[in-house]
Amino acid sequence: MSEIKKYAVMGNPVSHSLSPQIHQFFGEQCGIRLEYRAILVETGRFKSAVRQFIDEAGNGLNITVPFKQEAWQLADLRSNRAELAGAANTLMFEENGNIFGDNTDGVGILRDITNNLGRPVADAKVLVIGAGGAVRGVLGPLLDDGPSLIHIVNRTASKARELETVFGEFGPCTSGGLDDIGDAPYDIIINGTAASLQGKIPDLPASIFTDQSLAYDMMYGREQTPFLVWAGENGSGLCSDGLGMLVEQAAESFYIWHGVRPETKPVIQALR
Ligand code: ATR
């Protein structure tokens, strides 16, 4: 019987992570035996934790908050999408000792929105709220799908402008502060801020929603996020949290490690 391969997710906090469960589901579905743990890493200890995992014959890692930028720095080789994101959520340890870094968050949200929720990003008018690491990680793949516009707004407008400067060459992007939205509605409204973590919603006009729009929160939790409650109350036709994105980014990491694409829908259903 083949040797069991070793994987883990590193983060802080990490005990709430659903990644171990998701990868076990995928492994069973694809007939691949694997071990997948959650490893809590103290601040300042990321590099040594990765080295230790490699020494223990680990095969690959997922990286979550707050270490995605450090993981990017640690990688010897990076995919184009990771390069642009400035962050890596997936590491693979190659036999020659190289560390390969990738970022699967962007394809994760794209597949969730287009395949699972049935809303095309191509030709859509998209509003992205937030300009931190989470948003930077997803803009490239979203622009690759050909939206008519991505308008990036952030509480600190200068950070949204920086993202417009970086990503503008890949597709139609504009940017501004939370008050630079106007009255016109959007097809897809993505909340990529950390406001939900504080139980808050970004200060936005309700006119961004219609009965045809998708309101998407990159966060997920047991309860509906405050942003989605507000979007639903203000007439957004469809509201979704980021659980599907989580499963889809995991599926892409699984593909990078094992060369097999697992089915995501049964896993999303099981987790719901
Ligand atoms: P992450 O890696 O999760 O993106 P981050 O890089 O710290 O974390 O970015 C957090 C994002 O949430 C930022 O866009 C932040 O806005 P600022 O750049 O103005 O700080 C946004 N954010 C956090 N709390 C918010 C709130 N209460 N209302 C609106 N935006 C908020």
Side-chain angles (χ1 to χ4, degrees):
M1 194 172 269
S2 63
E3 191 188 331
I4 297 184
K5 289 194 168 181
K6 288 188 191 176
Y7 301 88
V9 54
M10 286 186 176
N12 189 346
V14 80
S15 59
H16 65 285
S17 173
L18 294 175
S19 293
Q21 224 179 318
I22 295 171
H23 280 272
Q24 286 303 340
F25 271 126
F26 287 162
E28 282 161 28
Q29 191 196 101
C30 300
I32 294 171
R33 281 164 19 107
L34 58 93
E35 177 193 299
Y36 192 112
R37 302 184 280 147
I39 300 176
L40 177 68
V41 176
E42 295 307 323
T43 313
R45 299 272 307 148
F46 178 70
K47 212 169 163 177
S48 58
V50 174
R51 293 284 166 213
Q52 186 183 340
F53 188 74
I54 294 172
D55 289 346
E56 291 166 1
N59 297 91
L61 283 171
N62 280 133
I63 310 298
T64 187
V65 176
F67 301 118
K68 290 183 190 182
Q69 279 87 2
E70 276 186 77
W72 184 89
Q73 284 165 353
L74 193 61
D76 303 295
L77 302 163
R78 300 181 198 111
S79 66
N80 287 341
R81 60 194 180 192
E83 194 64 45
L84 205 58
N89 76 336
T90 306
L91 296 179
M92 184 164 73
F93 309 120
E94 298 180 343
E95 276 174 17
N96 61 9
N98 277 338
I99 300 177
F100 172 71
D102 205 340
N103 192 318
T104 65
D105 287 331
V107 287
I109 193 170
L110 184 65
R111 290 202 184 123
D112 193 35
I113 290 175
T114 56
N115 300 351
N116 301 334
L117 300 168
R119 296 298 174 103
V121 169
D123 297 324
K125 193 176 161 203
V126 182
L127 179 67
V128 172
I129 310 152
V135 166
R136 193 185 170 107
V138 303
L139 284 174
L142 287 173
L143 280 167
D144 275 349
D145 231 40
S148 66
L149 174 72
I150 295 190
H151 186 46
I152 310 160
V153 293
N154 193 43
R155 187 174 57 181
T156 311
S158 59
K159 288 209 241 164
R161 292 209 186 88
E162 277 171 40
L163 290 185
E164 182 194 337
T165 307
V166 174
F167 288 92
E169 66 174 289
F170 301 100
C173 271
T174 52
S175 62
L178 296 181
D179 52 358
D180 284 327
I181 292 188
D183 294 326
Y186 288 82
D187 301 311
I188 300 173
I189 302 103
I190 299 172
N191 180 24
T193 71
S196 287
L197 286 178
Q198 309 145 14
K200 293 185 177 159
I201 44 173
D203 189 11
L204 297 166
S207 55
I208 53 180
F209 303 115
T210 70
D211 59 358
Q212 298 298 311
S213 63
L214 164 65
Y216 194 96
D217 200 326
M218 286 168 68
M219 301 269 168
Y220 66 90
R222 282 186 184 281
E223 309 285 326
Q224 186 85 311
T225 71
F227 171 75
L228 293 180
V229 171
W230 174 72
E233 285 169 359
N234 286 283
S236 186
L238 186 61
C239 298
S240 176
D241 68 13
L243 183 68
M245 171 182 174
L246 178 80
V247 174
E248 294 294 343
Q249 65 76 30
E252 185 71 10
S253 297
F254 192 92
Y255 176 73
I256 291 165
W257 293 330
H258 307 287
V260 183
R261 254 181 222 293
E263 269 202 64
T264 51
K265 280 191 182 149
V267 178
I268 295 171
Q269 269 164 15
L271 292 172
R272 291 254 182 242

